[in-house]
Amino acid sequence: MPTTDQDMHRPRYHFTAPSGWINDPNGIGFYQGRYHVFYQYNPDAPRWDRIQWGHASSADLVQWRDEPIALVPSPGDDADGCFSGSFAVVDGQPTLYYTGYTLERQVQCVATSSDMLSWTKQPARTIRERPADVHLQDFRDPYVFQHGGWWYMVVGASADHARGQALLYRSADGVDWAYRHPLFTSPLPTLGVVWECPNFFQLGDKWVLTVSVWPNLGAHYFVGRFADERFIAESDGVLDSDSGAFAHLAMQAPDGRTLQWAWIKEQREQPLIDADGWSGALTVPRELSLDAQQRLQMRPAAALQALRGAPVPVAATGATRGELLHFTGRCLDIEATFTLHDHHKVALTVLAAPDGSEATRIEYWPDARRLTVVRARSSLSHQVSHQNVVGHLELDAGEPLHLRVLLDHSVLEVYANQRLCLTTRVYPTLAESVHASLSVEGHAEATLQAWGMGSIHLDRQTT
Ligand code: FRU
C-alpha cells in the first residue's frame, strides 16, 4: 500500500478516512468551539461493510483532527450497521440520531454523549413507527432540527417502493417522537425510488430540501416554503450532476452561514482501490446561499483560503487564440474568469502529460450552455471511469464565466459562477501528468490565478 506521499490519487485537502472506506458525511455540527464531522466508515477495508461512524473535528474548518470512532454496530437495533444521521444538542446533551440497520429492517436510533468522544446508545428511544406504505428497508437517515418551538425529524423513505419521499416526525423534547405525515413526496417518477439523506433547512427566508436519489440518480434540491408542517416546493435543481457527490448534509455555522458537505465516491475498479487501501472522500465545506431567482448558490467556504500556499507561476504563451496560459500542479486551487465575446469554447486543461496522452479538460460551450469535464483521456487506465460530467450553465447577458477549480489529486470540484458544481474523479497514471493550461477557441479574454494547497490532516500519521 502506498504512503500518502507516494499516492498520486489520495487527496490532501479533501477529507479522507484514516484508512479504509468512507461514505456519507453524518452528524455535522458545531459544539463548544469546534466543528464536528462524523461519517460512514469501515476502517477495516476500502469497501462498504458493517458501517460505523467515524469522527473528526476542527476549530477552523481548515485543520482536522481524527477523533475516536463514535458508533460501532452491536447486537440489537444496529447489529449490521450504524447508518447515516444527524447531530443535535438536546436539553444540553450532544445527541446523535442515526439509522440502525439489520438485514431485516431499518429503525431510527439515538446515542448520547457528555464529551462528544464516547457515545452511549439509548435503545429505549428507538423509533420504529412508520407509515404502512413504507417498506422495512426504505426508512433511513434521520435529520433533526428545531423550529417554531418543536423538534422535527425528517426521514428518507419511499412511498410504496415507487417514489422518493421525506417523512416528518415531531417531538416536544427531542426524546418522544410522533409521526406526522410526509413532509414532501417526489413530484416526478424520474427522481428515483427512495430518497436517502433528506436534509431540510432554512436559507434566507426560504426552506431548502436536498435529497439523494436511490438508485444512483444523484442529488436534487428543492426551494420553497414550510407551512402547516408541509413543504411546498417552488423551484428545484440538480446538486452535483451525475452523482459525482452524494448524501449532502448542511449545518448552520455560529456566524449564520450554511455549510454543506457531501461524499465523493471512487470511480475506479475495486482492484485499484484495494491496492491503495482507501476509498472515498468528502467535498470541501461549501457555503450555500440563494440568488434573486431562488437558485442555490454554492462556493468553497472562505476558510479554505488559509490552505493556499504561494501563487503558482503562470506563464503566458503570447498567443491570442488556443493556449494562452500554462502552469503545473496536481494539488491546486484555481480561479479563472473568461469574458466571452463570441460563441466559441473556452477551456481549462489539468493533469495533462506533455505529449497529451493524458489530459482532463474542463470546457464551456456557450452555444450549448454546457459545462463539461471531459474525461475521455483523463487516464491511460481502462479501470477508471472515462465518462464526461456535464452541467447546464446559462450565462446572463454580459456575465463573465467564473470557474473555481479545486484539484486535489484524483478529486476535482468545479464551481461555475457559484451556481453549478461538477464534482468528479480523475486518475492519471503518469508522474508527468501535471500540466495545466487555459485556452480559448475564439475571441475571449481570460485571467487566472492558482495556488498550491496544503494538507488538512497535519496531525495524521501516514504509513
Ligand atoms: C447513502 C446511504 C444512506 C445510508 C448509508 C449507508 O449513501 O445509502 O441511505 O444510511 O448510505 O452507509
Side-chain angles (χ1 to χ4, degrees):
M1 229 172 270
T3 64
T4 298
D5 286 345
Q6 293 162 346
D7 190 331
M8 266 172 53
H9 297 135
R10 185 151 184 161
R12 311 295 200 266
Y13 68 94
H14 286 79
F15 187 87
T16 53
S19 64
W21 165 277
I22 187 173
N23 59 294
D24 312 351
N26 294 151
I28 281 164
F30 186 83
Y31 185 70
Q32 293 187 343
R34 293 187 76 81
Y35 292 90
H36 292 266
V37 170
F38 299 83
Y39 53 89
Q40 294 282 282
Y41 187 28
N42 177 14
D44 301 324
R47 53 182 73 217
W48 188 90
D49 193 24
R50 203 175 165 265
I51 288 295
Q52 315 183 6
W53 273 43
H55 181 196
S57 75
S58 170
D60 56 7
L61 293 173
V62 177
Q63 294 300 323
W64 290 86
R65 177 170 89 197
D66 292 316
E67 305 287 6
I69 289 175
L71 297 172
V72 177
S74 53
D77 287 337
D78 61 14
D80 297 316
C82 300
F83 275 17
S84 287
S86 56
F87 166 78
V89 180
V90 179
D91 199 16
Q93 185 158 50
T95 304
L96 301 179
Y97 298 90
Y98 67 101
T99 298
Y101 168 71
T102 64
L103 296 176
E104 294 76 41
R105 46 124 196 84
Q106 297 169 0
V107 289
Q108 313 319 321
C109 297
V110 178
T112 55
S113 174
S114 54
D115 58 4
M116 294 295 280
L117 297 178
S118 68
W119 295 86
T120 308
K121 294 179 186 174
Q122 307 289 350
R125 289 168 60 176
T126 295
I127 302 157
R128 299 166 202 285
E129 183 194 357
R130 63 188 159 77
D133 65 343
V134 172
H135 295 201
L136 288 165
Q137 292 288 14
D138 293 344
F139 182 48
R140 56 183 174 273
D141 310 337
Y143 175 71
V144 169
F145 65 99
Q146 268 181 304
H147 180 66
W150 292 99
W151 285 96
Y152 288 102
M153 177 187 286
V154 178
V155 182
S158 173
D160 211 17
H161 201 70
R163 254 180 208 226
Q165 68 176 346
L167 308 174
L168 189 72
Y169 290 69
R170 193 175 80 174
S171 166
D173 55 8
V175 177
D176 287 320
W177 294 88
Y179 174 61
R180 302 290 289 166
H181 44 243
L183 172 72
F184 188 61
T185 302
S186 175
L188 294 169
T190 47
L191 285 177
V193 165
V194 183
W195 280 356
E196 299 185 315
C197 302
N199 190 198
F200 189 54
F201 52 90
Q202 252 175 309
L203 200 56
D205 54 6
K206 293 289 171 187
W207 284 80
V208 175
L209 174 68
T210 66
V211 296
S212 291
V213 178
W214 187 93
N216 211 20
L217 294 176
H220 208 80
Y221 75 86
F222 302 88
V223 179
R225 290 180 291 124
F226 184 37
D228 300 327
E229 299 189 332
R230 295 192 194 258
F231 177 61
I232 301 111
E234 295 167 348
S235 59
D236 71 317
V238 174
L239 266 178
D240 286 286
S241 301
D242 296 349
S243 339
F246 202 71
H248 299 65
L249 184 61
M251 62 167 277
Q252 199 168 54
D255 62 5
R257 283 174 309 150
T258 300
L259 300 174
Q260 185 194 58
W261 281 257
W263 165 44
I264 309 174
K265 66 182 177 202
E266 295 302 315
Q267 299 195 28
R268 53 182 174 162
E269 290 177 13
Q270 196 62 39
L272 296 184
I273 297 173
D274 288 340
D276 285 347
W278 61 276
S279 172
L282 301 184
T283 62
V284 297
R286 297 170 173 178
E287 198 180 317
L288 303 183
S289 54
L290 291 176
D291 70 6
Q293 287 129 283
Q294 285 194 30
R295 291 178 301 200
L296 195 62
Q297 303 239 289
M298 56 208 85
R299 60 188 150 159
L304 281 188
Q305 295 189 11
L307 289 165
R308 288 177 173 175
V312 168
V314 178
T317 61
T320 52
R321 295 270 162 99
E323 189 174 313
L324 308 188
L325 302 171
H326 177 264
F327 54 106
T328 59
R330 61 162 52 109
C331 188
L332 298 172
D333 179 352
I334 307 166
E335 292 203 45
T337 303
F338 299 85
T339 308
L340 308 171
H341 297 298
D342 57 29
H343 290 268
H344 292 290
K345 289 178 187 168
V346 296
L348 257 184
T349 299
V350 294
L351 300 176
D355 66 0
S357 55
E358 289 188 329
T360 298
R361 197 173 148 90
I362 302 154
E363 181 179 278
Y364 183 66
W365 185 14
D367 270 342
R369 303 183 182 96
R370 194 162 70 204
L371 185 73
T372 307
V373 179
V374 182
R375 292 194 295 171
R377 285 187 295 122
S378 61
S379 174
L380 293 173
S381 169
H382 297 297
Q383 291 175 288
V384 310
S385 175
H386 288 272
Q387 226 172 351
N388 290 348
V389 182
V390 181
H392 175 83
L393 179 70
E394 190 161 357
L395 296 177
D396 296 333
E399 183 185 8
L401 170 69
H402 180 76
L403 296 182
R404 175 88 181 269
V405 176
L406 302 183
L407 170 64
D408 189 1
H409 299 82
S410 59
V411 167
L412 188 60
E413 289 188 68
V414 181
Y415 297 80
N417 291 39
Q418 292 190 21
R419 60 178 183 268
L420 173 68
C421 184
L422 303 182
T423 305
T424 192
R425 304 297 298 272
V426 279
Y427 304 94
T429 61
L430 306 171
E432 65 266 29
S433 290
V434 291
H435 294 270
S437 60
L438 178 151
S439 55
V440 304
E441 286 183 7
H443 179 34
E445 282 123 41
T447 58
L448 179 140
Q449 275 186 294
W451 296 263
M453 293 290 274
S455 166
I456 59 167
H457 297 297
L458 285 186
D459 295 340
R460 196 178 269 177
Q461 303 294 319
T462 57
T463 48

